[in-house]
Amino acid sequence: MTRIGFMSDLHLDSNQFGDFEQQTLRQLLKEEQIDHLHIAGDLSNDLTKISLPFIETLKQEIPLSFNLGNHDMLGLSEQEISNYDFQVQQFGQTKLVSFSGWYDYSFVPEKSKEEHLRTKTNFWFDRRLERQLDDPSITAQILQELEKLLATLDGPIIVALHFVPHQDFLYDHPYFQRFNAFLGSQAFHQLFVKYRVKEVVFGHLHHRHQSRVIEGVRYHMRPLGYIREWELTRNFFNDFPQYKIPQMYRLHKRYNAVKDLAEFRDYKKKHLAAELRDALTVIEVQ
């Protein structure tokens, strides 16, 4: 039996992942008896200076693999991005296929391509990336390569990707629904069903969901996300209500109000292991 651990959206830079955080993660992986860790994208905004050194350090403790998220792609060429796609690892009879994925606006079909591009240019992180093709073309190319690969594999298949492969996981808040266009594509799910993929792990959207089976595919979405979104940060304000601010719904404002407090630093140290455990998916394979 092999225990494969999956995490995503660590955002090492934004979350100021230092020695204490790394040691807490290493201890968690040891306690959970993880034999191999896969990180499904968004380690940081700097693959070379932040993500890869972190990975090399962690590899001294545990076998590790990863695929890119959109934040990891910052500053990379198209060839460098593609070099990380479609890795296949074997654990017993089970194949682990990992790639980044992308989006084609199909989750928001009522808006035109031009409207989506305006929203992306004004608001979305990916405006900082220099991709050679437009978004639907990138996605179509990835889907074509994915199908070609899946058609060659036998036995149980686990897929790890960064982007969202099914509409059930999208934003439901009216303000954020326009950003669903940049989250992924339902076409990935259709391929997973066609080739009988057993389990899929992904992130990108910083919401954690209970695992669920959709048309025979079990989905796992438990990204770590930004510290301002963490459960421990929400719980801190419940335990220390004196630090609540008028605009509690503004996550960055409430976090900035307490991040330097000794009480918050101590609270984080006490509860970090539980936060990381909640963002860990474990799949056992024979």
Side-chain angles (χ1 to χ4, degrees):
M1 184 75 70
T2 300
R3 287 173 61 83
I4 308 175
F6 295 87
M7 301 187 79
S8 74
D9 301 88
L10 298 185
H11 292 287
L12 303 168
D13 40 4
S14 299
N15 290 330
Q16 299 182 326
F17 230 76
D19 293 339
F20 175 76
E21 288 78 9
Q22 292 189 41
Q23 179 56 40
T24 303
L25 176 59
R26 288 195 294 268
Q27 182 61 35
L28 168 64
L29 297 174
K30 184 177 180 180
E31 290 175 2
E32 292 291 330
Q33 299 180 311
I34 302 302
D35 298 303
H36 183 97
L37 177 66
H38 184 87
I39 302 176
D42 278 5
L43 283 103
S44 79
N45 287 354
D46 193 322
L47 183 69
T48 303
K49 294 182 179 179
I50 298 176
S51 303
L52 292 180
F54 168 82
I55 286 165
E56 289 306 314
T57 299
L58 197 53
K59 272 186 175 179
Q60 297 173 18
E61 305 278 340
I62 184 172
L64 186 150
S65 55
F66 72 101
N67 59 264
L68 299 181
N70 53 323
H71 285 256
D72 304 301
M73 295 176 185
L74 191 62
L76 300 187
S77 68
E78 204 68 41
Q79 183 60 54
E80 288 171 321
I81 292 171
S82 66
N83 287 343
Y84 288 96
D85 267 344
F86 302 113
Q87 304 170 59
V88 180
Q89 301 175 80
Q90 185 149 350
F91 301 89
Q93 298 300 310
T94 299
K95 313 290 194 311
L96 169 59
V97 176
S98 59
F99 64 102
S100 60
W102 201 247
Y103 46 87
D104 55 10
Y105 314 147
S106 59
F107 284 146
V108 188
E110 62 272 18
K111 292 191 175 183
S112 69
K113 181 178 178 180
E114 289 70 29
E115 288 177 293
H116 289 311
L117 287 174
R118 281 198 295 271
T119 300
K120 180 179 178 179
T121 301
N122 290 329
F123 299 105
W124 203 245
F125 174 85
D126 297 348
R127 67 187 183 275
R128 301 170 63 186
L129 307 181
E130 296 182 7
R131 304 301 304 262
Q132 291 182 353
L133 301 174
D134 64 21
D135 298 318
S137 297
I138 291 171
T139 304
Q141 188 176 74
I142 291 171
L143 288 163
Q144 185 178 32
E145 293 181 33
L146 175 62
E147 179 157 29
K148 191 182 300 183
L149 174 60
L150 292 177
T152 69
L153 302 179
D154 55 6
I157 299 172
I158 300 173
V159 166
L161 76 161
H162 184 67
F163 289 86
V164 180
H166 197 284
Q167 62 189 8
D168 276 15
F169 301 94
L170 301 178
Y171 287 117
D172 55 11
H173 190 284
Y175 176 80
F176 294 106
Q177 285 179 346
R178 57 183 166 163
F179 301 123
N180 286 333
F182 316 118
L183 296 186
S185 172
Q186 190 80 5
F188 289 110
H189 170 73
Q190 293 164 1
L191 281 186
F192 299 154
V193 172
K194 180 177 179 180
Y195 290 97
R196 299 180 181 179
V197 172
K198 183 179 179 183
E199 317 239 15
V200 174
V201 183
F202 66 100
H204 191 44
L205 179 58
H206 294 178
H207 292 165
R208 297 177 200 164
H209 291 263
Q210 293 296 319
S211 298
R212 67 183 74 170
V213 177
I214 305 173
E215 294 185 281
V217 182
R218 180 172 294 279
Y219 285 102
H220 307 270
M221 182 185 182
R222 307 206 60 78
L224 182 61
Y226 298 125
I227 187 171
R228 63 178 179 264
E229 303 163 323
W230 291 0
E231 188 72 23
L232 73 80
T233 304
R234 286 196 293 271
N235 290 340
F236 175 81
F237 287 100
N238 294 329
D239 293 344
F240 295 86
Q242 65 269 32
Y243 293 118
K244 288 184 176 180
I245 64 172
Q247 293 179 305
M248 282 296 290
Y249 63 93
R250 301 292 294 272
L251 302 188
H252 68 287
K253 284 184 176 294
R254 71 179 190 184
Y255 170 65
N256 287 338
V258 301
K259 65 179 183 180
D260 296 323
L261 295 176
E263 293 97 326
F264 182 75
R265 291 197 298 268
D266 291 341
Y267 196 88
K268 177 188 172 186
K269 287 185 176 181
K270 183 177 179 181
H271 297 281
L272 178 62
E275 190 76 36
L276 293 175
R277 182 175 280 107
D278 193 51
L280 175 68
T281 294
V282 181
I283 298 177
E284 293 185 341
V285 299
Q286 295 285 353

